[in-house]
Amino acid sequence: VIVGGGFAGLFAARWLKRAPVEVTLVDRSANHVFQPLLYQYATGIVSEGQIAPPLRQVLASQENCRVLLMEVTGFDLERRAVLARHPDGPITELRYDSLIVGAGAGQSYFGNDAIAPFAPGMKTIDGALEIRRRVFGAFEMAELASGREERSAWLTFAVVGAGPTGVELAGQIRELAMRTLRDEFRAIDPELCQVLLLDGGAEPLATFGDKLSGRAAGTLRDLGVDFHPHCMVTSVDAAGLEVKGKDGTVQRLPARTVIWAAGVQASPLARALADASGAELDRQGRIKVEPDCTLPGHPEVFAVGDMMHLNDLPGVAEVAMQTGLHAANTIKRRMLAQPTRNFRYLDLGSMAYIARGRAVVDFRGIKLTGFPAWLMWLFIHITFLTGFTSRLGALLLWFGAFAGRRRGQRAIVVEDVPRTAGPGAPADAEQPAPPPTPATPGSGS
Ligand SMILES: Cc1cc2nc3c(=O)[nH]c(=O)nc-3n(C[C@H](O)[C@H](O)[C@H](O)COP(=O)(O)OP(=O)(O)OC[C@H]3O[C@@H](n4cnc5c(N)ncnc54)[C@H](O)[C@@H]3O)c2cc1C
């Protein structure tokens, strides 16, 4: 049984294609979501189908694999059973010989979940769609606004967290305003929109090291993104947010659209596995695994991808793919009575897209910025893309979006547009402000 059809689970399932095994892949979503491109969905470049292909379609030719749309709720490791909820409600048991769990991670608001309704995160297709509605809806509301102050609040976007996701989103909103929307409005000039990027650290993309992070800061400045270092977001409401600076002063920033890209929390299934096996959790709720990605005392159970903790590996797609492959390979080797190995990570580096023609890449010590980095970003994403009917299709679409100005994937209706009183609320309703519990933005991905 494989739980989760993300990068880890899907790569594990595919690696077992020719093995004499029966694979059951369980996911609560019918689709494999290519998370690194969620920001392109949120800003109207790609459609849902292009970055979230049906798992059934991806695995159609793999006859030894069945896909079940169910939510896993727990594990009985002694009886080797996964407990999964049928969409009708009842809990079903799925028995296994080997179990691979790759249930990923979700958004963390550092304990201040009251922020969530006012600052959606981008971990899922639904989250990205909500951001798309709010971003395009904010420009619509600005066009309809009667006063200068109101217009300016709608044209102010705050992105919390200056890791790769925050940087990508901030850059994309400025690009939208400067290129796509430039000539489309009559009462407002979208180019005047303000994008605030807030982070607890000193630089954006801090994990990329001083050189790349400095270059990223320069590119963001050129784009017109307003970077606010050393700040902690203490509260968010429908009209803006409060941030505490390094010197302890609290400042109110009016912004109708706030996006949360600051924290990560492992799937609750990590805790369920820890409770069942006695394994420990780290601060992000990730389960600490043995060097071969198995659980202590349970060599038949693997935890892989974003939900596991091993050697401080980061929560990135490459780790997920490689741990998924490792788990599947270990199962194959055991069947052939071959010796198994500990997991060894091959670090292929990291990259972040900032804007059209501009990215930063750290590839095994080789640091690239600007256009060469962007070309490399393009090459890597084309190579790993699952979902587009063809890679050529993806290239053509990106060519259209990057060379031209138009973005076609941005349908919204009146009900989607954020209201003055708060996201998703009726126009005349009051939204209660969340309590001012401090939240610490970091450089989450
Ligand atoms: C916006 C964004 C941008 C990113 N950009 C990059 C990038 O540029 N480069 C990079 O390397 N990494 C990037 N990442 C990180 C990368 O996407 C993750 O590291 C990777 O997706 C982790 O894979 P996974 O298989 O562990 O988890 P996921 O891909 O999250 O998959 C988990 C799967 O488990 C399923 N699931 C969860 N709970 C249950 C349950 N209870 N029952 C059944 N199914 C369940 C989910 O539906 C999902 O399909 C980004 C992440 C995000 C959110």
Side-chain angles (χ1 to χ4, degrees):
V1 171
I2 298 177
V3 179
F7 283 106
L10 188 58
F11 272 66
R14 281 168 155 178
W15 195 248
L16 292 169
K17 184 170 182 173
R18 294 191 210 296
V21 293
E22 286 171 23
V23 181
T24 298
L25 190 146
V26 201
D27 201 306
R28 63 180 176 197
S29 153
N31 305 69
H32 164 74
V33 180
F34 196 94
Q35 290 179 355
L37 290 181
L38 275 175
Y39 75 93
Q40 293 204 357
Y41 176 58
T43 54
I45 297 178
V46 296
S47 68
E48 180 176 324
Q50 286 162 329
I51 58 156
L55 280 164
R56 282 188 194 291
Q57 182 181 298
V58 177
L59 293 164
S61 66
Q62 188 167 334
E63 284 180 10
N64 69 348
C65 180
R66 64 172 178 160
V67 177
L68 300 181
L69 179 68
M70 295 176 107
E71 172 153 30
V72 172
T73 55
F75 305 92
D76 185 336
L77 298 188
E78 299 317 314
R79 295 181 50 248
R80 298 196 176 188
V82 172
L83 311 177
R85 184 179 291 120
H86 188 282
D88 271 344
I91 303 288
T92 310
E93 273 193 3
L94 302 167
R95 303 298 291 266
Y96 60 81
D97 297 310
S98 299
L99 172 64
I100 301 177
V101 187
Q107 200 70 57
S108 164
Y109 290 88
F110 306 106
N112 190 354
D113 288 346
I115 286 177
F118 302 101
M122 202 174 54
K123 288 281 173 199
T124 59
I125 278 284
D126 285 349
L129 180 60
E130 181 60 27
I131 289 171
R132 189 172 93 184
R133 288 175 174 152
R134 291 191 192 193
V135 169
F136 287 104
F139 286 101
E140 298 295 338
M141 291 298 275
E143 177 81 349
L144 296 170
S146 44
R148 231 178 111 223
E149 214 174 295
E150 192 191 341
R151 191 173 300 135
S152 152
W154 281 117
L155 286 178
T156 306
F157 300 82
V159 179
V160 184
T165 300
V167 165
E168 279 162 359
L169 272 171
Q172 282 300 300
I173 298 172
R174 278 299 299 161
E175 243 185 29
L176 260 182
M178 291 190 305
R179 292 173 58 80
T180 310
L181 304 180
R182 201 176 67 193
D183 302 327
E184 295 187 2
F185 289 84
R186 300 294 171 259
I188 58 162
D189 178 357
E191 284 189 68
L192 297 181
C193 90
Q194 253 197 307
V195 179
L196 318 175
L197 179 62
L198 309 141
D199 197 274
E203 295 275 16
L205 298 181
T207 54
F208 283 68
D210 287 349
K211 184 181 168 200
L212 293 185
S213 137
R215 293 295 286 268
T219 307
L220 287 168
R221 233 183 349 262
D222 294 348
L223 276 172
V225 172
D226 195 359
F227 179 60
H228 291 241
H230 303 298
C231 47
M232 297 199 343
V233 174
T234 54
S235 73
V236 185
D237 58 45
L241 64 172
E242 274 184 7
V243 295
K244 192 152 107 187
K246 207 178 176 184
D247 57 2
T249 52
V250 176
Q251 193 188 356
R252 168 115 193 138
L253 303 170
R256 289 281 181 199
T257 313
V258 181
I259 301 170
W260 196 261
V264 175
Q265 183 69 26
S267 156
L269 292 186
R271 172 162 292 284
L273 280 179
D275 289 347
S277 66
E280 283 178 50
L281 296 178
D282 70 6
R283 272 183 24 196
Q284 291 174 21
R286 298 182 301 174
I287 186 163
K288 294 188 178 176
V289 292
E290 299 287 329
D292 61 354
C293 298
T294 62
L295 302 195
H298 288 276
E300 75 287 4
V301 183
F302 299 82
V304 288
D306 275 8
M307 64 176 282
M308 64 121 222
H309 173 120
L310 178 65
N311 303 334
D312 278 331
L313 290 171
V316 294
E318 196 56 49
V319 171
M321 292 183 224
Q322 290 184 30
T323 50
L325 288 175
H326 172 81
N329 204 33
T330 305
I331 291 169
K332 271 185 171 178
R333 285 176 158 270
R334 284 178 185 161
M335 293 182 72
L336 297 169
Q338 289 176 348
T340 57
R341 301 175 184 149
N342 288 340
F343 174 68
R344 274 182 44 207
Y345 180 52
L346 177 63
D347 187 356
L348 295 177
S350 42
M351 58 178 65
Y353 175 101
I354 306 176
R356 200 172 60 104
R358 284 178 274 187
V360 291
V361 170
D362 183 351
F363 177 67
R364 316 200 82 186
I366 303 170
K367 295 183 194 303
L368 299 174
T369 57
F371 194 65
W374 183 77
L375 280 182
M376 189 142 170
W377 172 92
L378 199 64
F379 173 75
I380 300 271
H381 280 76
I382 290 289
T383 310
F384 283 100
L385 205 55
T386 309
F388 274 78
T389 35
S390 73
R391 293 195 157 79
L392 182 65
L395 264 182
L396 288 176
L397 184 108
W398 282 340
F399 182 76
F402 298 143
R405 287 168 35 188
R406 300 176 72 169
R407 299 182 183 212
Q409 309 296 332
R410 39 187 263 221
I412 51 170
V413 293
V414 161
E415 287 76 18
D416 296 334
V417 173
R419 312 295 159 91
T420 304
D428 55 355
E430 282 292 317
Q431 284 283 325
T437 322
T440 318
S443 298
S445 74

